[in-house]
Amino acid sequence: MTDPVIAAATSQITTCRATGHVPVVRTFFDDPTFTATHVVHDPATMACAIVDSVMDYDPASGRTDHAMAQEIVDYVTAEKLKVEWLLETHVHADHLSAAPWLQERLGGRLGIGESIIRVQDIFGKMFNAGTRFARDGSQFDRLFSDGTRFMLGSLPAIALHVPGHTPADMAYVIGDAAFIGDTLFMPDYGTARADFPGGDARTLYHSIRRLLSLPDETRVFLCHDYKAPGRDEYAWETTIGAERRDNVHVHDGVDEDAFVKMRTARDATLSLPNLIMPSVQVNMRGGHLPEPEDNGISYIKIPVSGS
């Protein structure tokens, strides 16, 4: 059965490549969190989107900084770009979003997938966030559903719901470029974990196969890279064709049960990300710190379980 959203994305990619109307992408890589932030713009209008930004955070002191985000401000300013969108592919568990800080300086609308509501419910309970924490996605300007079409300047774009890593993961296809968050990594590294609350390896497999049905020539921009063994440089751009042929976890020919068995066994060996506690609590709030307490200070909670 034809997937109408993938069919629409495929038509968009094919048309953009045929006409040469494709976006320009500049990537900023944050070594401490292994995160790639992409600034994508329409060369015809200079409208741009910032995908998966990073706020610097020192867990030992609790201090935040915006050196990484300032690089993006400097680039956008120098290139005379106009920020229309700040896009989050999901509630990240490994870095804090700089979206509100960037929005104050550059404008734009903050968007994420509509299943953020489910994630807010899960983590709102886990961290006992209380009634002041809205769990309706209202911290964001736009909640995308699967197949939502939008524009970046004169470039067409479409949102794809690709759950599995978390329930709310989104990919954004802008022109001929797909920004896929934490679903796939570089072909030599594999795929994202699926053991966070609300994650599911079988669901991730179906989301990945859906992405891999896009045209082979689709440019793919990843959210993370960890340098596969034998590779010395960070990398964050590949193609759908390369992933289908060479992804070590999910290349063509790997069936669902084999993937789920591999992913489940691999996830059982992984430790939690270093910044998972602050990241989730900030990112489920759209990049804002928890509301200050009566002394004017914001606090990150750490749940403690008994032995």
Side-chain angles (χ1 to χ4, degrees):
M1 185 174 180
T2 301
D3 182 328
V5 177
I6 293 298
T10 296
S11 176
Q12 172 186 300
I13 292 163
T14 302
T15 300
C16 287
R17 291 187 66 85
T19 60
H21 189 199
V22 299
V24 175
V25 182
R26 167 71 183 275
T27 300
F28 297 81
F29 194 79
D30 183 58
D31 290 39
T33 63
F34 308 101
T35 303
T37 297
H38 307 291
V39 181
V40 49
H41 81 262
D42 171 18
T45 65
M46 305 306 280
C48 80
I50 301 169
V51 184
D52 291 333
S53 61
V54 177
M55 177 171 65
D56 305 301
Y57 176 77
D58 177 19
S61 66
R63 291 194 181 98
T64 61
D65 191 68
H66 296 92
M68 179 69 177
Q70 185 62 53
E71 291 185 31
I72 293 171
V73 171
D74 293 344
Y75 170 74
V76 167
T77 302
E79 297 297 316
K80 297 181 172 57
L81 304 180
K82 177 185 177 183
V83 176
E84 291 189 346
W85 292 102
L86 300 110
L87 300 174
E88 299 288 344
T89 55
H90 63 294
V91 171
H92 306 276
D94 42 29
H95 71 271
L96 285 66
S97 172
W101 189 88
L102 289 166
Q103 192 174 36
E104 286 181 5
R105 287 151 183 80
L106 298 172
R109 301 176 68 195
L110 177 57
I112 199 168
E114 64 181 1
S115 293
I116 180 64
I117 295 170
R118 182 179 170 194
V119 174
Q120 289 176 328
D121 184 59
I122 292 170
F123 287 114
K125 292 174 181 175
M126 183 177 297
F127 290 104
N128 196 29
T131 57
R132 290 194 301 172
F133 170 51
R135 305 174 195 198
D136 57 2
S138 58
Q139 299 87 347
F140 300 85
D141 301 311
R142 179 73 179 271
L143 301 183
F144 292 101
S145 60
D146 187 47
T148 298
R149 294 173 181 262
F150 61 106
M151 298 295 293
L152 179 65
S154 62
L155 280 169
I158 189 166
L160 279 63
H161 186 210
V162 287
H165 173 62
T166 79
D169 280 63
M170 299 298 290
Y172 303 101
V173 181
I174 301 173
D176 72 328
F179 301 85
I180 64 170
D182 288 13
T183 49
L184 292 164
F185 297 136
M186 291 299 291
D188 59 0
Y189 199 86
T191 57
R193 65 194 297 168
D195 60 331
F196 292 149
D200 181 77
R202 201 167 294 277
T203 301
L204 179 62
Y205 179 84
H206 287 287
S207 291
I208 288 171
R209 293 312 310 179
R210 193 177 188 218
L211 286 171
L212 294 184
S213 65
L214 292 170
D216 280 0
E217 62 271 19
T218 306
R219 293 186 290 160
V220 176
F221 294 88
L222 313 175
C223 187
H224 296 289
D225 185 55
Y226 303 97
K227 291 183 184 175
R231 176 158 55 82
D232 296 327
E233 301 294 329
Y234 290 116
W236 47 77
E237 181 180 355
T238 181
T239 66
I240 290 295
E243 294 283 8
R244 290 183 58 189
R245 290 189 306 271
D246 301 324
N247 189 285
V248 294
H249 292 168
V250 72
H251 56 79
D252 284 351
V254 176
D255 68 26
E256 181 178 337
D257 288 340
F259 174 80
V260 171
K261 182 179 179 180
M262 176 282 301
R263 190 67 265 170
T264 302
R266 184 176 175 86
D267 287 350
T269 70
L270 300 176
S271 59
L272 292 175
N274 291 336
L275 296 181
I276 187 169
M277 296 299 176
S279 294
V280 169
Q281 292 176 74
V282 168
N283 295 337
M284 71 182 186
R285 293 175 166 88
H288 293 281
L289 296 174
E291 286 192 34
E293 299 195 5
D294 55 12
N295 61 356
I297 298 174
S298 295
Y299 291 88
I300 297 295
K301 293 181 177 180
I302 301 178
V304 178
S305 58
S307 59

